[in-house]
Amino acid sequence: EDLGGRFVPGLVQRPKGSPSGVRIATTSAHDLSESRFRAIAEQSSELLMIVDRERVVLWANAAFERVLGYPPESLVGTDIFPLFHADDVPALAETIRRLSEVPGAAETGDVRMRSPDGSWHWMETSGRNLLDDSTVQGFLVSFRDVTDQRGAEAALRASEARYADLFEHARDAVFMADLDARLLSVNLAVEQLTGYSRAELLEMNVF
């Protein structure tokens, strides 16, 4: 039989009239492509979902349960917006609008996603318009949990702010200089002690 390139080896059946034990592959290339996509996606450490034009979840991978606690089947058929922080929804809606206008278009961003226990997770997000792709037929969206990274960045900023406050308001004169003795920063006490403005001091050397 001439398969015309429409079928590839996969699931097999014995057609009527064929000798016993003779089997012919009948899995379509589309079915195999979809199976491979889903097999790879289910093993991904990233959270993946397919969403239609109306923002309804068509499919989600197992990472949603591992990372956030959502069984994938609990998300299918639901609107995605309730998953996100209310302050992030307007930007999400605008992103979906832009993506829907250009097949294959992709955008990235950060959003806050709620877990079933009510806690919020910062997610690094990437979405692509694959509405015209026969395997996906929707927006393919990936999420990566960056909550710990965000927390570390916030802690670093807070630490730097505390240091800057202590530096600026220390009673003692405090300054920083490079290896050539050029002043890099001075606190308020140095200005008061020397009578020079900060701008003037930063043009000077320590020696």
Side-chain angles (χ1 to χ4, degrees), residues 29-44 46-51 58-62 128 130 133-142:
H30 174 272
D31 289 342
L32 184 57
S33 176
E34 182 174 355
S35 296
R36 284 175 173 168
F37 166 79
R38 292 186 183 275
I40 293 170
E42 289 298 342
Q43 299 303 315
S44 173
E46 292 191 352
L47 287 69
L48 301 173
M49 65 166 49
I50 297 173
V51 182
L58 302 177
W59 169 85
N61 72 343
R128 182 177 293 275
L130 295 177
D133 185 288
S134 60
T135 299
V136 179
Q137 297 180 355
F139 298 102
L140 178 60
V141 190
S142 67

Side-chain angles (χ1 to χ4, degrees), residues 96-154:
I96 292 173
R97 185 196 65 77
R98 288 196 303 269
L99 286 176
S100 64
E101 294 177 347
V102 184
E107 291 199 22
T108 60
D110 289 350
V111 295
R112 286 160 288 184
M113 183 176 283
R114 180 174 48 82
S115 66
D117 65 10
S119 61
W120 292 98
H121 295 247
W122 276 104
M123 310 298 287
E124 186 178 82
T125 308
S126 175
R128 182 177 293 275
N129 178 350
L130 295 177
L131 290 164
D132 294 338
D133 185 288
S134 60
T135 299
V136 179
Q137 297 180 355
F139 298 102
L140 178 60
V141 190
S142 67
F143 303 92
R144 186 169 68 89
D145 193 340
V146 293
T147 305
D148 291 344
Q149 178 182 326
R150 282 293 191 116
E153 291 171 352

Side-chain angles (χ1 to χ4, degrees), residues 1 13-24:
E1 180 181 351
Q13 298 175 345
R14 184 168 63 87
K16 293 180 180 180
S18 63
S20 176
V22 176
R23 300 188 172 214
I24 297 177

Side-chain angles (χ1 to χ4, degrees), residues 60-198:
N61 72 343
F64 271 93
E65 187 163 19
R66 293 195 299 268
V67 176
L68 293 179
Y70 288 109
E73 61 272 15
S74 72
L75 297 172
V76 174
T78 65
D79 188 332
I80 62 169
F81 279 0
L83 292 171
F84 301 102
H85 195 286
D87 292 345
D88 297 335
V89 169
L92 279 172
E94 177 60 20
T95 298
I96 292 173
R97 185 196 65 77
R98 288 196 303 269
L99 286 176
S100 64
E101 294 177 347
V102 184
E107 291 199 22
T108 60
D110 289 350
V111 295
R112 286 160 288 184
M113 183 176 283
R114 180 174 48 82
S115 66
D117 65 10
S119 61
W120 292 98
H121 295 247
W122 276 104
M123 310 298 287
E124 186 178 82
T125 308
S126 175
R128 182 177 293 275
N129 178 350
L130 295 177
L131 290 164
D132 294 338
D133 185 288
S134 60
T135 299
V136 179
Q137 297 180 355
F139 298 102
L140 178 60
V141 190
S142 67
F143 303 92
R144 186 169 68 89
D145 193 340
V146 293
T147 305
D148 291 344
Q149 178 182 326
R150 282 293 191 116
E153 291 171 352
L156 177 60
R157 288 193 297 269
S159 176
E160 290 173 342
R162 286 194 297 270
Y163 168 78
D165 184 68
L166 289 171
F167 177 88
E168 181 62 20
H169 297 101
R171 292 183 179 181
D172 296 329
V174 182
F175 63 86
M176 295 178 61
D178 64 17
L179 295 177
D180 296 320
R182 289 191 296 266
L183 287 169
L184 301 176
S185 62
V186 298
N187 70 346
L188 183 60
V190 175
E191 293 184 85
Q192 294 171 341
L193 179 67
T194 64
Y196 290 106
S197 70
R198 190 165 313 211

